[in-house]
């Protein structure tokens, strides 16, 4: 295993320490919990707090989206494992400015359980907690069972919208409703070309035969919709776009946010090749792309592959995406 | 080869097209040259223009650093190959605001030759051109032959400084002198853990045996100083820091810029593990780190490994690094 590791058991602690040192202008470590990172802008009295959390190995997600007008506090889990309920609880307390906290996270069993416990603990402290559970990954369950779908890179757009909405001074109910609206307008799909290796294990966590690709793969290598022969980049982009657009009902004149994220090891120029095709297709449909994002925004260690996320925008979402933001993983200039 | 490619011969054109579409708020394609990308802020009448260029496959370098207060125009080469003299010439013309152009590029034979030809062509148009040739890669030649060393990730800091200096309205001579000063204060080193594959070739472009690492590796897999057994992350960070500090003469109270860049496939959390150690070591020396950068800033396709760059700062360099900048690869908030 060709990796920069000291001890797999300390990997997350060391990465968090390095992250907090590298971004000390924007974030700080929770004084009593080394798995909670807090924005230096948080909490703001009277403003709704935004919290997220999830397993490590997806950097810059989740910790990279803590910052000004973004996420206020993040709970950090082990590699590909949920943070503890205590960490979510500490993040909620740190983000609370007296007006409640909205936890915007992904639909995984451990996260669901631990956020629920944390919300109960926070309620005892008098902190109101609302949640939005991201389930943007189209291939992880049929449309009729959308509540079973996983949350993937669409979470980044949900955090951007939620953070910007909270910054307007909106109520907890309004922040939750807008984040939910953002999520409801968002669909994602992943295509995997090669697996990743968890250092404690030392072996690839699944197999993708050379010359094939896994359409609909999850952020931890969860099985996709189908394994097919590896196609040319344009055909892959077409497949991805067809999948995310199935439930989007786009018309000429609509505007969308588009995020193409690498899964870790795919060269960045190939992400732009995918984007070139996606942009051309949307242009042909007379759909306008606002603030596209192309790069390694939500990874899976050194997995090869990419995800496509499309969010259909209304005036409110468009405005909130354009709000100034400053986090290590996403900066929107004023 | 598990990659998102249509045709290796069109890879760069497609990536450039996707890049320009994704960042159309910041950049535009040269109307007559599909291998030249121009900042929407350029040219500014009376301001020195900043140009760079280099082979593709290092994204976000080189094109990602075109933008406001950064590089004004970039010449784009084939994968791991120099741009043509014509492309450098077109970039120079596009960046010229009547006060001369400074070409800040890396020390490779093809780039040297083509920049020299381009400067001669521009001189015939009455455009004054000065150059600074980056040679920050410590292991590529002994200190006594520094002019033979290659330019690597330190170029990013040189572009940041050069772009900010030009933004002050400084003369061509002053911009060149400050960019040269930045470069003279900068040292870099790379460590490779696994090779990369050029799509047209289809096979890894060199070998690194599992369980070993190549210290001093170049951005195209150029042989390093030595191949040794793969060490723990902290020991790798120590080795890298020792190499770059040999010629830096750091004292307690000094300030430095630090850039830890992944080479493409190394998970981002491992870059933070390296940074954690580097920051701790510098702290022990009472050396302060200003605006550290950790991430995939200068890659080599899907190579595994990382580079460390350290720039020793004076008041001017510190101020110029802090100047607002907006490019796809680097944003400094106002």
């Amino acid at each position: 295993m060709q990796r920069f590791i000291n001890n797999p058991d300390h990997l997350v602690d060391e990465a968090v320490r390095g992250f907090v040192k590298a971004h000390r202008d924007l974030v700080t470590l929770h004084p009593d919990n080394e798995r909670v990172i807090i924005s230096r802008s948080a909490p703001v009295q009277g403003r709704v707090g935004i919290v997220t959390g999830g397993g490590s190995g997806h950097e810059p997600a989740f910790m990279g989206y803590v910052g000004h007008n973004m996420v206020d506090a993040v709970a950090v889990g082990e590699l590909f494992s949920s943070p503890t309920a205590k960490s979510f609880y500490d993040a909620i307390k740190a983000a609370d400015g007296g007006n409640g906290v909205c936890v915007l996270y992904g639909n995984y069993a451990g996260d669901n359980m631990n956020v629920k416990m944390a919300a109960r603990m926070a309620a005892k402290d008098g902190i109101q907690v609302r949640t939005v559970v991201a389930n943007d990954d189209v291939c992880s369950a049929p449309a009729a069972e959308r509540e079973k779908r996983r949350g993937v890179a669409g979470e980044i757009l949900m955090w951007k919208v939620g953070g910007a909405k909270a910054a307007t001074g909106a109520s907890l109910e309004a922040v939750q409703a807008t984040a939910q609206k953002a999520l409801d307008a968002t669909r994602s799909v992943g295509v995997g070309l090669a697996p990743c290796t968890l250092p404690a294990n030392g072996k690839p966590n699944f197999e993708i035969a050379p010359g094939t690709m896994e359409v609909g793969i999850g952020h931890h290598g969860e099985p996709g919709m189908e394994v097919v022969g590896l196609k040319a980049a344009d055909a892959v982009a077409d497949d991805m776009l067809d999948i995310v657009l199935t439930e989007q009902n786009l018309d000429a004149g609509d505007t969308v946010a588009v995020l193409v994220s690498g899964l870790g090891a795919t060269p960045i120029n190939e992400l732009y090749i995918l984007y070139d095709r996606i942009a051309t297709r949307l242009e042909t449909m007379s759909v306008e792309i606002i603030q596209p994002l192309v790069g390694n925004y939500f990874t899976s260690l050194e997995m090869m592959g990419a995800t496509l996320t499309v969010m259909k925008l209304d005036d409110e979402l468009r405005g909130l995406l354009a709000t100034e933001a400053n986090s290590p993983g996403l900066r929107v200039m004023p």
Side-chain angles (χ1 to χ4, degrees), chain A:
Chain A
M1 199 183 45
Q2 296 297 87
R3 304 274 283 275
F4 295 123
I5 305 283
N6 290 306
N7 177 336
D9 294 341
H10 304 157
L11 190 158
V12 174
D13 289 331
E14 292 169 355
V16 165
R17 245 179 9 228
F19 176 86
V20 170
K21 283 178 189 170
H23 305 292
R24 58 172 195 259
D25 55 326
L26 289 171
V27 306
T28 181
L29 199 59
H30 190 291
D32 304 315
N33 188 331
E34 291 194 342
R35 294 300 178 88
V36 174
I37 299 170
I38 306 166
S39 168
R40 286 200 181 268
S41 312
V44 179
Q45 281 309 309
R47 187 190 278 190
V48 170
I50 303 291
V51 161
T52 192
S56 293
H58 304 294
E59 290 71 22
F62 297 75
M63 58 177 103
Y65 299 101
V66 172
H68 178 62
N69 288 350
M70 288 284 295
V71 172
D72 291 309
V74 64
V76 179
E78 282 298 317
L79 283 181
F80 290 6
S81 298
S82 173
T84 62
K86 175 71 163 61
S87 290
F88 274 116
Y89 169 62
D90 285 340
I92 289 168
K93 279 200 296 184
D96 179 46
N99 207 11
V101 172
C102 205
V103 185
L104 308 177
Y105 71 101
N107 190 24
Y108 297 90
D111 296 310
N112 282 323
M113 184 179 73
N114 291 329
V115 168
K116 203 168 283 184
M117 280 177 62
R120 251 186 260 129
M121 292 156 80
K124 286 186 190 162
D125 296 339
I127 303 172
Q128 259 205 300
V129 176
R130 297 280 184 109
T131 61
V132 178
V133 189
N135 52 9
D136 51 307
D137 188 1
V138 172
C139 293
S140 53
E145 299 173 280
R146 200 180 135 216
E147 74 286 353
K148 290 188 183 170
R149 288 181 178 171
R150 297 181 294 260
V152 284
E155 294 183 51
I156 296 167
L157 301 177
M158 173 177 71
W159 298 325
K160 177 70 187 75
V161 165
K165 183 71 179 181
T168 67
S171 69
L172 179 58
E173 290 70 22
V175 171
Q176 181 195 32
T178 300
Q180 184 69 54
K181 178 174 78 171
L183 182 71
D184 290 342
T186 302
R187 296 291 184 279
S188 299
V189 64
V191 170
L193 300 189
C196 59
T197 295
L198 289 158
N201 184 355
K203 283 178 193 156
N205 60 344
F206 60 100
E207 296 292 330
I208 298 177
T212 69
M213 63 182 194
E214 185 146 355
V215 179
I217 198 164
H219 266 163
H220 311 91
E222 293 94 339
M225 203 173 60
E226 55 175 351
V227 176
V228 298
L230 179 56
K231 299 182 184 179
D234 283 354
V236 176
D238 284 345
D239 288 354
M240 292 172 94
L241 195 60
D242 289 342
I243 289 169
V244 297
L245 292 193
T246 306
E247 300 172 20
Q248 297 274 47
N249 300 317
L250 290 186
D251 293 317
D254 282 341
T255 60
V256 294
V258 171
L259 162 60
V260 176
S261 178
L263 286 175
T266 286
I268 292 168
N269 53 21
E270 297 178 18
L271 303 178
Y272 284 113
I273 292 174
L274 294 175
Y275 182 76
D276 181 43
R277 177 67 170 194
I278 290 159
T280 300
R281 283 271 315 270
L282 289 170
E283 202 177 317
T284 307
M285 297 167 63
S286 298
V287 169
E288 191 189 355
I289 303 173
I290 306 289
Q291 288 177 288
L293 299 172
V294 182
N296 287 312
Y297 285 93
F298 203 128
T299 64
S300 299
L301 294 169
E302 88 294 13
M303 206 187 291
M304 279 212 156
T307 61
L308 168 64
T309 299
V310 175
M311 177 192 272
K312 184 177 174 178
L313 303 177
D314 63 12
D315 288 347
E316 183 188 26
L317 294 175
R318 209 159 42 233
L320 294 170
L321 286 177
T323 300
E324 173 190 354
N326 192 3
S327 68
L330 181 63
R331 291 188 167 88
V332 177
M333 303 295 278

